[in-house]
Amino acid sequence: DAMVIQNPRYQVTQFGKPVTLSCSQTLNHNVMYWYQQKSSQAPKLLFHYYDKDFNNEADTPDNFQSRRPNTSFCFLDIRSPGLGDAAMYLCATSGSGGSYNEQFFGPGTRLTVL
Amino acid sequence: DAKTTQPNSMESNEEEPVHLPCNHSTISGTDYIHWYRQLPSQGPEYVIHGLTSNVNNRMASLAIAEDRKSSTLILHRATLRDAAVYYCILRSQGTGNQFYFGTGTSLTVIP
């Protein structure tokens, strides 16, 4: 089945130690998104790629970066994780043609910062 | 993107219909109304979307008010597997495909 895959499902890092979260997709979608979801809150969009074009949300901290080396893969880099960055990180994809494009979400990576 | 308002939580008995309301009084003419749901420990998933007319699919129905300032997601027979947080989201046609989630409604289904 075509899908959005996130690895690992659970990630533990230390305060200030860089960490990278991975997302891959078999849907061949040209748009990929990263969301942050803290406990009992709604997902919050961090940024998205439209093909290779990176689109950052205005309130996304500089501590968060992203890379998309090809259509299938997208990475979220947290350069210096703080305790407040502990959250579920969700990757999603969508197409871009037509009047509506459903977003397909991965299962998320739960990040713990010690 | 316009803002949506939903009740924080709702309860329903199993096998009864559920009506989940959403207010979007600042909706513009080009805003689509989307509903996604998030089951425990999973990513959100698409439920339904519409623009002006009521919509039906295998999961649910979407009833849109005539002035489009509110909408209602209808689950015709709630099951335990429908227990989730339901998000009502507006997105303008022609903008990027970004979603800005509101607070959502946590639905509890009682056996």
Side-chain angles (χ1 to χ4, degrees):
Chain A
D1 287 342
M3 55 198 305
V4 181
I5 303 158
Q6 292 190 245
N7 285 310
R9 294 292 308 275
Y10 299 91
Q11 177 74 56
V12 180
T13 190
Q14 291 180 333
F15 183 93
K17 185 176 181 181
V19 65
T20 295
L21 308 182
S22 301
C23 177
S24 64
Q25 53 133 340
T26 60
L27 298 161
N28 203 32
H29 283 163
N30 59 335
V31 191
M32 294 187 77
Y33 311 81
W34 279 104
Y35 292 85
Q36 178 192 64
Q37 186 174 27
K38 296 187 177 180
S39 181
S40 301
Q41 296 184 20
K44 179 179 180 297
L45 182 65
L46 294 174
F47 26 61
H48 75 279
Y49 274 95
Y50 190 117
D51 292 323
K52 292 188 176 182
D53 293 333
F54 178 70
N55 298 273
N56 199 25
E57 293 298 307
D59 57 353
T60 298
D62 292 341
N63 198 27
F64 292 87
Q65 305 285 320
S66 186
R67 295 170 285 135
R68 189 179 186 188
N70 53 52
T71 299
S72 300
F73 285 87
C74 196
F75 301 98
L76 171 63
D77 301 309
I78 308 176
R79 293 191 296 186
S80 182
L83 298 178
D85 296 328
M88 176 75 81
Y89 289 89
L90 295 161
C91 174
T93 74
S94 75
S96 60
S99 62
Y100 180 76
N101 291 285
E102 175 184 345
Q103 286 197 14
F104 293 84
F105 286 81
T109 294
R110 183 166 297 282
L111 178 68
T112 300
V113 181
L114 301 177
Chain B
D1 289 285
K3 194 171 180 178
T4 62
T5 304
Q6 300 175 253
N8 287 336
S9 61
M10 292 184 64
E11 285 186 351
S12 174
N13 293 319
E14 193 176 11
E15 299 190 2
E16 290 188 357
V18 183
H19 290 232
L20 298 166
C22 181
N23 287 320
H24 29 78
S25 59
T26 59
I27 191 170
S28 74
T30 58
D31 285 339
Y32 278 83
I33 302 160
H34 310 258
W35 285 83
Y36 278 66
R37 73 179 185 181
Q38 187 171 21
L39 280 66
S41 301
Q42 295 188 27
E45 63 177 358
Y46 170 80
V47 178
I48 202 167
H49 78 283
L51 183 62
T52 56
S53 303
N54 294 345
V55 185
N56 300 294
N57 67 19
R58 63 175 180 81
M59 288 182 71
S61 295
L62 176 59
I64 302 173
E66 196 169 334
D67 63 5
R68 302 209 324 126
K69 293 186 176 182
S70 65
S71 60
T72 302
L73 178 70
I74 302 166
L75 307 178
H76 295 287
R77 286 183 71 223
T79 70
L80 297 179
R81 289 174 294 179
D82 291 323
V85 178
Y86 287 78
Y87 293 102
C88 171
I89 305 163
L90 300 183
R91 184 182 67 83
S92 296
Q93 184 181 14
T95 65
N97 210 33
Q98 304 92 292
F99 283 170
Y100 300 98
F101 286 77
T103 53
T105 296
S106 179
L107 176 66
T108 300
V109 180
I110 302 168

